[in-house]
Amino acid sequence: MVTKTEESELKNLEIQVDNGGGGAWEYLSLVRKLKVRRSDKVLKHGLSILNDSKLRSKLGADEWTLYEQVAVAAMDCQCLDVAQDCTKALRKRFSESKRVGRLKAMLLEAKGSWEKAEKAYSSLLEDNPLDQIIHKRRVAMAKAQGNISGAIEWLNKYLEIFMADHDAWRELAEIYSSLQMYKQAAFCYEEVILAQPTVPLYHLAYADVLYTLGGLENVQTAKKYYASTIDLTGGKNTRALFGICLCTSAIAQLAKGKNKEDKEGSQLQSLAAKALERDYKQRAPDKLPQLTTALKSLTLSS
Amino acid sequence: MGSNDLKYEVSQNAYIKLVLHSLKHPTSAVNGVLIGRISSSNDTVEITDAVPLFHSQIPLLPQLEISLILIEEYFSTKGLNIVGYFHANERSDDFELGGVAKNIGDHICRYFPQAAILLLDNKKLEALKKSKSSSAIMQLYVRDASKNWKLVQSDANNRFSLKEPSANVILLDYISSEKWNDIVDFDDHLDDISK
């Protein structure tokens, strides 16, 4: 997960390199550090460094890291011969390395030889049962083959060992959501919120899942999490503001007989609505009329 | 005439927008709504435009509701309705219409009973670069009497057609010029409302 400053730094470097302004190595290092997926750019710029022997020798020992990065990017872009060449170069240098063994298995996976890749990964795991990347490749393979229940099983096993891997919890939550198993998805988000309570993204996703689950209690809790998202983002998160409006009208519909929450709920909703209108006025004035009508229809139905 | 006999015609504008949207996000599922109207002769549903919706968090309800409300508002002033739903699966070999897509389709059907779902056919998309076919690279699903979504065979009856037969040529042109970067979907809008 990338912060806004990191994202803009990355974008600036990307534009600079794309337009021939140099700085390719800095860009590639930043991509590696942030673990973002920019495979076509990595492939293009990485290859331009590797194919130029002067630039390559300047890198020194980092050359091999670059080979690995380009190999993975090539596999993502389905340029398997490039990936094969990089892996060969690495194998020549580090013939007994587990990392190279992992690349070889990934190459099998990229080619679609699922069984061979599965065997390779299993044997690598026997020697090194705590290698996170290999575990994740297994889950990815199951998902790619359409074996969603297998992917869920592997991912659950992985999380039993590596409980602190938030990205894995998020992936599991997304898989559950796509299968409409919203309760399980909510559980995953609860785990990450416990671990990282100051990340607004998780609060937002949790609130979304709760709203989708439905039912008065869930929607009320969802409203609380939308509110905490707004708190954590200083009121700038459009989705959370919309979420509050939706929740309030849903609660009003679901709780037609009870009068307790009315005043407090409608205050929050009108605050959220005002904030949305202010935002749209400032940044997207041509969309304001639709927003106003939409908000009115939400308050009317409450 | 029941919805069994309705024809569906997709305009180039809508068609290209939807395919470019899925190409912009090749690693995730995407979806969108189809906008249009029933033709005056009451036998064709004309899909004149499309609004790309999301490329993440698709199965979740809140943003879907907001987007449908806002879209309905915007287009009803122009006399158009939401007439269908578009979906492209995450994996290139997944040709099934998933549960989420069906649910959203059902929801749209409540407001527009002849709504259709279009599913991107990835095989045809790949083949497009080699062949010069002019047929649409999507599959059409309509609801039959028992409320199940059924695939309409693309060759029979010509029920699903592209309004302008040159749409695929223009699509290829846009693909090679990477025009998908100009596509802004609802997800992008929610992240930055100036888009």
Side-chain angles (χ1 to χ4, degrees):
Chain A
M1 284 225 305
V2 189
T3 62
K4 254 204 166 134
T5 34
E6 286 168 344
E7 173 86 37
S8 48
E9 194 187 336
L10 187 66
K11 251 216 160 108
N12 287 335
L13 269 175
E14 204 171 88
I15 299 178
Q16 185 188 329
V17 183
D18 269 343
N19 292 328
W25 176 243
E26 286 80 24
Y27 174 67
L28 293 168
S29 312
L30 193 58
V31 168
R32 227 182 13 248
K33 180 172 137 206
L34 298 176
K35 295 201 189 153
V36 287
R37 195 173 179 175
R38 296 271 200 279
S39 304
D40 45 352
K41 303 258 186 243
V42 170
L43 187 58
K44 195 164 104 180
H45 301 303
L47 272 183
S48 66
I49 297 186
L50 287 175
N51 285 332
D52 182 342
S53 48
K54 256 194 284 179
L55 287 172
R56 208 169 65 214
S57 50
K58 254 202 251 174
L59 292 175
D62 285 333
E63 180 187 352
W64 309 109
T65 330
L66 186 58
Y67 268 119
E68 191 186 16
Q69 194 179 8
V70 173
V72 175
M75 287 189 239
D76 209 8
C77 299
Q78 275 289 308
C79 298
L80 295 177
D81 33 3
V82 174
Q84 192 127 16
D85 289 337
C86 292
T87 322
K88 246 196 234 156
L90 281 167
R91 216 172 349 155
K92 255 203 272 183
R93 177 71 178 79
F94 304 103
S95 50
E96 287 300 319
S97 158
K98 294 269 165 29
R99 250 165 106 172
V100 181
R102 196 169 62 200
L103 273 181
K104 280 200 316 200
M106 279 171 79
L107 202 54
L108 286 169
E109 185 190 339
K111 283 201 206 142
S113 326
W114 307 117
E115 289 181 13
K116 285 200 201 144
E118 173 72 44
K119 266 200 221 133
Y121 283 136
S122 308
S123 71
L124 282 168
L125 272 177
E126 267 173 28
D127 298 329
N128 195 6
L130 292 178
D131 189 332
Q132 291 190 331
I133 300 193
I134 299 190
H135 273 116
K136 290 194 202 181
R137 287 320 317 160
R138 262 218 295 221
V139 175
M141 265 205 323
K143 205 172 172 205
Q145 291 175 274
N147 182 4
I148 303 279
S149 42
I152 293 185
E153 212 187 295
W154 285 124
L155 197 45
N156 270 315
K157 281 208 191 116
Y158 171 79
L159 282 165
E160 272 169 37
I161 312 176
F162 302 102
M163 262 182 266
D165 189 341
H166 309 125
D167 286 334
W169 281 114
R170 270 175 67 203
E171 178 70 32
L172 187 57
E174 281 181 17
I175 298 183
Y176 277 136
S177 288
S178 66
L179 293 172
Q180 302 182 289
M181 297 163 71
Y182 295 114
K183 245 187 169 171
Q184 287 86 337
F187 174 73
C188 296
Y189 281 125
E190 282 165 12
E191 290 286 328
V192 278
I193 293 183
L194 269 177
Q196 286 189 317
T198 54
V199 176
L201 183 63
Y202 301 144
H203 290 247
L204 189 60
Y206 185 49
D208 277 343
V209 171
L210 282 176
Y211 183 86
T212 317
L213 264 175
L216 184 57
E217 264 188 46
N218 285 329
V219 179
Q220 282 174 327
T221 323
K223 200 166 89 160
K224 294 202 190 117
Y225 277 95
Y226 280 126
S228 66
T229 315
I230 297 183
D231 204 12
L232 288 167
T233 55
K236 298 212 187 100
N237 192 318
T238 322
R239 290 175 210 247
L241 290 168
F242 272 125
I244 296 255
C245 299
L246 280 175
C247 277
T248 327
S249 42
I251 290 178
Q253 273 191 338
L254 289 168
K256 270 208 167 110
K258 313 180 186 164
N259 277 318
K260 273 194 298 179
E261 287 242 29
D262 265 11
K263 256 199 208 155
E264 185 196 306
S266 54
Q267 250 187 2
L268 187 56
Q269 189 184 40
S270 54
L271 278 174
K274 280 212 192 85
L276 274 170
E277 283 182 351
R278 206 176 44 224
D279 241 354
Y280 268 81
K281 231 194 217 164
Q282 267 189 338
R283 297 200 282 158
D286 49 338
K287 304 201 181 80
L288 191 54
Q290 283 95 43
L291 176 72
T292 339
T293 345
L295 287 174
K296 266 206 205 100
S297 67
L298 279 175
T299 25
L300 271 178
S301 63
S302 64
Chain B
M1 251 198 282
S3 55
N4 293 327
D5 296 303
L6 272 182
K7 291 206 223 121
Y8 293 86
E9 199 183 58
V10 184
S11 78
Q12 182 170 289
N13 199 14
Y15 178 67
I16 293 188
K17 260 196 225 180
L18 295 170
V19 180
L20 284 181
H21 183 220
S22 11
L23 287 173
K24 187 175 182 191
H25 304 285
T27 54
S28 47
V30 299
N31 60 1
V33 278
L34 309 171
I35 311 286
R37 61 165 93 78
I38 296 194
S39 70
S40 38
S41 49
N42 252 354
D43 66 345
T44 312
V45 175
E46 296 171 352
I47 301 171
T48 51
D49 203 350
V51 180
L53 283 178
F54 307 109
H55 54 268
S56 65
Q57 308 273 33
I58 287 182
L60 295 177
L61 202 49
Q63 37 233 28
L64 183 65
E65 288 190 7
I66 293 280
S67 57
L68 286 176
I69 295 177
L70 285 174
I71 293 176
E72 187 70 50
E73 276 308 318
Y74 181 73
F75 283 104
S76 56
T77 54
K78 305 191 174 176
L80 297 170
N81 303 351
I82 298 183
V83 300
Y85 171 74
F86 168 77
H87 193 92
N89 281 321
E90 194 176 347
R91 295 194 327 271
S92 62
D93 52 358
D94 185 356
F95 293 113
E96 271 183 51
L97 194 61
V100 177
K102 285 194 196 146
N103 276 340
I104 301 184
D106 284 338
H107 189 81
I108 296 185
C109 269
R110 257 185 263 154
Y111 299 99
F112 188 77
Q114 299 94 333
I117 297 185
L118 287 177
L119 184 68
L120 184 68
D121 188 335
N122 290 301
K123 254 198 242 153
K124 279 199 196 159
L125 178 60
E126 268 185 63
L128 194 64
K129 303 190 187 154
K130 305 178 198 144
S131 77
K132 296 283 167 116
S133 135
S134 59
S135 64
I137 54 175
M138 300 174 185
Q139 297 177 330
L140 172 72
Y141 285 81
V142 289
R143 232 160 60 146
D144 63 12
S146 51
K147 304 232 167 131
N148 289 325
W149 287 97
K150 270 211 334 226
L151 170 63
V152 172
Q153 289 308 326
S154 39
D155 324 301
N157 303 338
N158 249 348
R159 279 189 65 189
F160 180 45
S161 56
L162 284 170
K163 189 156 175 232
E164 295 94 343
S166 57
N168 275 342
V169 176
I170 303 200
L171 179 62
L172 282 171
D173 184 41
Y174 278 163
I175 291 179
S176 50
S177 60
E178 295 200 359
K179 199 132 170 94
W180 58 70
N181 284 321
D182 293 340
I183 297 265
V184 173
D185 64 4
F186 210 80
D187 244 346
D188 299 328
H189 173 74
L190 283 176
D191 285 333
D192 179 3
I193 54 178
S194 55
K195 291 201 183 150

